[in-house]
Amino acid sequence: MARSGTVAVIGAGFYGSTTAQRLAEYDLFDTVVLTDIIEGRPEGLALDMNQSRPVEGFETRIVGQTTGQDGSGYEAIAGSDIVVITAGLSRKPGMSRMDLIEVNARIVRQVAENVARHAPDAVVIVVSNPLDEMTALTQIATGFPRHRVMGQAGMLDTARFTSFVVEELAVPVSSVRTLTLGSHGDTMVPVPSACTVNGTPLTDLLPADKIEALVTRTRNGGAEVLALLKTGSAYYAPSAAAARMARAVREDSGAVLPVCAWVDGEYGISGVYLGVTAELGRQGVRRVVHTELTDSELAELRKAADAVRAKQADVHHL
Ligand code: APR
């Protein structure tokens, strides 16, 4: 595919900078724009990343831009096809994602308003936490059609689940398929009925209590990394997930991925941004793809939707 277009990454912390690097190394975009409010940080990172081009052999140019609280500097994202929002605080050990809601809502609202002003046609991928709420807030603050705003969570939860199954069974990564739906947090809904190893149902390979233990580890996957790092949360797997979503949009690929998307009728659930499988393309979410669920998985997904819907209603006031 010919290289073209611009992707912007807002927030040049750990998550944002690794996402920008991955996107640049795909060599699919003309330009990756990286912004932050810390004076000089995005410019410095861009300079550094550009100097890796001769070694890694990619042509995409990285542009760093400091932005101000007044919206200055956002001209740099003009014309972006895709914007990834990573701005916001990350958790400290012992914090839940929900503890970040007020402070990150202020940041994400300000960012989203500037995105709407300067990149009005972009597809937006949100990663700031708490994820489901920040995705809903971004749609409200941009006023973009719902299919053009989505969040990254399911790709990461699924990757963690897959990786734990790989370790447990000592099988190749490529042989394992797992799925998680619902929200990024306590109401994550694992879908063991859709998990396979070389096409064999996971439920035939592991006892229920072992699967449950892997699910619990997945649900706490972010906290486990955080507890080890002590400062800053995970970013290698998260950035891989966000970059992969941006790639599906850029390539208009129709890839079906687990993402946080607007659900309106599927699974008997309506009016909420929720983790589901969706087909991605140039316009963002082409459609939510229905996955066959067992009765108990469906009941759990509906319960998750109710919990997330209630929280998302609050973001209007933040
Ligand atoms: N505009 C742009 N950037 C901002 C703004 C803003 N209004 N406010 C904060 N930032 C920047 C910070 O200056 C910092 O560089 O966001 C960056 C956040 O980086 P980290 O603290 O390293 O956090 P990171 O691990 O990258 O996580 C970012 O993703 O997973 C979520 O919970 C996590 O909400 C957090 C986000």
Side-chain angles (χ1 to χ4, degrees):
M1 178 172 257
R3 192 180 309 107
S4 72
T6 298
V7 56
V9 180
I10 314 296
F14 287 116
Y15 200 150
S17 55
T18 42
T19 301
Q21 179 193 5
R22 291 186 192 285
L23 290 168
E25 288 180 356
Y26 285 159
D27 211 9
L28 274 172
F29 297 91
D30 279 334
T31 311
V32 175
V33 180
L34 180 62
T35 78
D36 202 286
I37 49 166
I38 299 176
E39 175 78 44
R41 180 173 172 85
E43 289 84 349
L45 289 170
L47 186 62
D48 191 9
M49 281 184 217
N50 278 324
Q51 290 165 3
S52 75
R53 295 196 297 170
V55 183
E56 286 296 327
F58 62 92
E59 298 290 338
T60 299
R61 202 169 61 98
I62 302 108
V63 174
Q65 175 67 52
T66 302
T67 55
Q69 294 294 352
D70 58 355
S72 56
Y74 268 91
E75 315 78 58
I77 72 161
S80 294
D81 308 288
I82 304 169
V83 176
V84 185
I85 299 181
T86 79
L89 302 194
S90 61
R91 288 188 286 170
K92 309 227 167 358
M95 279 173 93
S96 84
R97 294 188 177 93
M98 207 46 88
D99 292 334
L100 300 168
I101 192 164
E102 290 198 10
V103 58
N104 279 357
R106 271 196 296 279
I107 293 171
V108 168
R109 183 179 280 280
Q110 188 249 355
V111 169
E113 287 169 357
N114 281 299
V115 169
R117 208 162 291 135
H118 294 277
D121 300 320
V123 170
V124 183
I125 299 170
V126 181
V127 313
S128 310
N129 275 312
L131 189 275
D132 309 276
E133 289 72 17
M134 293 305 108
T135 305
L137 176 62
T138 297
Q139 191 280 321
I140 293 164
T142 54
F144 285 2
R146 290 182 172 119
H147 64 86
R148 275 211 277 130
V149 179
M150 63 182 118
Q152 187 297 113
M155 288 281 295
L156 172 60
D157 290 332
T158 302
R160 285 179 171 150
F161 193 7
T162 295
S163 147
F164 295 143
V165 171
V166 164
E167 277 176 31
E168 179 64 31
L169 294 172
V171 290
V173 173
S174 59
S175 67
V176 179
R177 302 268 175 281
T178 67
L179 183 61
T180 66
L181 303 175
S183 96
H184 192 41
D186 296 339
T187 38
M188 184 192 93
V189 179
V191 188
S193 70
C195 300
T196 57
V197 180
N198 274 324
T200 304
L202 183 62
T203 45
D204 290 356
L205 298 170
L206 285 173
D209 61 338
K210 192 74 228 177
I211 295 177
E212 190 48 41
L214 299 183
V215 163
T216 302
R217 193 172 175 201
T218 302
R219 190 172 278 125
N220 300 325
E224 185 179 353
V225 174
L226 187 63
L228 290 165
L229 295 180
K230 295 179 189 69
T231 52
S233 52
Y235 52 97
Y236 284 111
S239 62
R244 181 68 191 77
M245 286 169 64
R247 182 176 187 148
V249 174
R250 163 69 187 84
E251 292 180 329
D252 195 24
S253 72
V256 176
L257 303 175
V259 302
C260 176
W262 183 254
V263 180
D264 205 13
E266 296 83 5
Y267 304 102
I269 295 169
S270 287
V272 64
Y273 268 103
L274 189 68
V276 288
T277 43
E279 186 181 312
L280 303 192
R282 191 161 16 89
Q283 289 304 311
V285 172
R286 286 186 190 162
R287 65 187 180 98
V288 171
V289 176
H290 186 92
T291 303
E292 274 314 312
L293 302 177
T294 63
D295 288 347
S296 67
E297 289 162 352
L298 182 59
E300 263 199 83
L301 187 62
R302 289 187 175 148
K303 209 166 90 192
D306 289 341
V308 174
R309 192 186 293 102
K311 272 282 165 208
Q312 286 178 7
D314 293 344
V315 298
H316 282 271
H317 317 292
L318 294 174

